[in-house]
Amino acid sequence: MKIFIAFLSYLLGSLPAGFVIAKFVYKQDIRTLGSGNIGATNLLRNFGKAAGGLTFVFDYFKGILAVFIGKKLLGDSGATIALMFVVLGHIFSIFLKFRGGKGIATSFGALCVADFKMAMILITIFIILVALTRKVSLGSVVVATLAPFLSFYYHGISSFSFAVLFIAVLIDFRHRANIKRLIRGEEKELF
């Protein structure tokens, strides 16, 4: 059952909404535009609010669906497996030669099912940071870095907390170019 949950979650995570929307609606490869990322922020910057919003919603709900299924099939253990593998799928999509997005929207959706309180704390911090700085990457890096601390606080030393830590490290790694630009003061604002 664990292998099934991991496989299904990885496949769900691998579905590249941003790539599909850009390719079939706008007839362009989003990987060649802007930051080259397939996530909501890059679609928003290149194609507008509808494209960015739709990408975010799809990526968010695949995280929800994966963890919901994992939890139904195997309780908290299934939720933890699904959380990890849906984000892995999003970041390393089998449909895009193991390249993908940065994992924020999918992680948020997954966390909403796995631990709603944690998700709400993190999204509140994210919204405040983005509203104050207009830098999505700053909000993303800060909440990814804070998530393991929150998880260890609420869940102690557990498989869930280590899964959150693993995802946080992956997300920060995917944002390494953004982090360098933030340090140099060169990171683009959202609007």
Side-chain angles (χ1 to χ4, degrees), residues 27-97:
K27 312 297 182 197
Q28 294 191 63
D29 186 343
I30 190 63
R31 297 171 299 178
T32 65
L33 302 172
S35 67
N37 188 39
I38 64 163
T41 303
N42 201 31
L43 269 89
L44 171 67
R45 284 185 177 136
N46 285 284
F47 304 122
K49 291 177 184 175
L54 190 58
T55 301
F56 175 84
V57 167
F58 188 92
D59 288 345
Y60 170 74
F61 276 105
K62 69 186 184 185
I64 285 178
L65 182 60
V67 177
F68 177 80
I69 292 169
K71 200 167 193 169
K72 282 288 180 188
L73 293 177
L74 209 59
D76 289 342
S77 173
T80 299
I81 293 165
L83 170 74
M84 194 160 64
F85 279 89
V86 73
V87 177
L88 276 171
H90 180 76
I91 294 174
F92 304 106
S93 173
I94 196 170
F95 303 115
L96 298 176
K97 298 179 181 175

Side-chain angles (χ1 to χ4, degrees), residues 45-153:
R45 284 185 177 136
N46 285 284
F47 304 122
K49 291 177 184 175
L54 190 58
T55 301
F56 175 84
V57 167
F58 188 92
D59 288 345
Y60 170 74
F61 276 105
K62 69 186 184 185
I64 285 178
L65 182 60
V67 177
F68 177 80
I69 292 169
K71 200 167 193 169
K72 282 288 180 188
L73 293 177
L74 209 59
D76 289 342
S77 173
T80 299
I81 293 165
L83 170 74
M84 194 160 64
F85 279 89
V86 73
V87 177
L88 276 171
H90 180 76
I91 294 174
F92 304 106
S93 173
I94 196 170
F95 303 115
L96 298 176
K97 298 179 181 175
F98 301 102
R99 303 188 125 203
K102 294 183 179 177
I104 291 294
T106 302
S107 297
F108 176 54
L111 203 54
C112 279
V113 178
D115 186 327
F116 187 72
K117 181 160 65 170
M118 256 184 72
M120 290 304 101
I121 292 169
L122 292 169
I123 195 65
T124 301
I125 294 167
F126 176 84
I127 290 168
I128 290 168
L129 282 172
V130 174
L132 291 174
T133 67
R134 294 184 295 191
K135 292 183 169 100
V136 173
S137 59
L138 178 64
S140 300
V141 169
V142 169
V143 296
T145 304
L146 286 176
F149 293 98
L150 270 180
S151 187
F152 282 110
Y153 177 77

Side-chain angles (χ1 to χ4, degrees), residues 9-32:
S9 300
Y10 176 79
L11 280 183
L12 280 171
S14 286
L15 298 172
F19 176 80
V20 171
I21 290 165
K23 194 77 169 170
F24 293 100
V25 178
Y26 299 96
K27 312 297 182 197
Q28 294 191 63
D29 186 343
I30 190 63
R31 297 171 299 178
T32 65

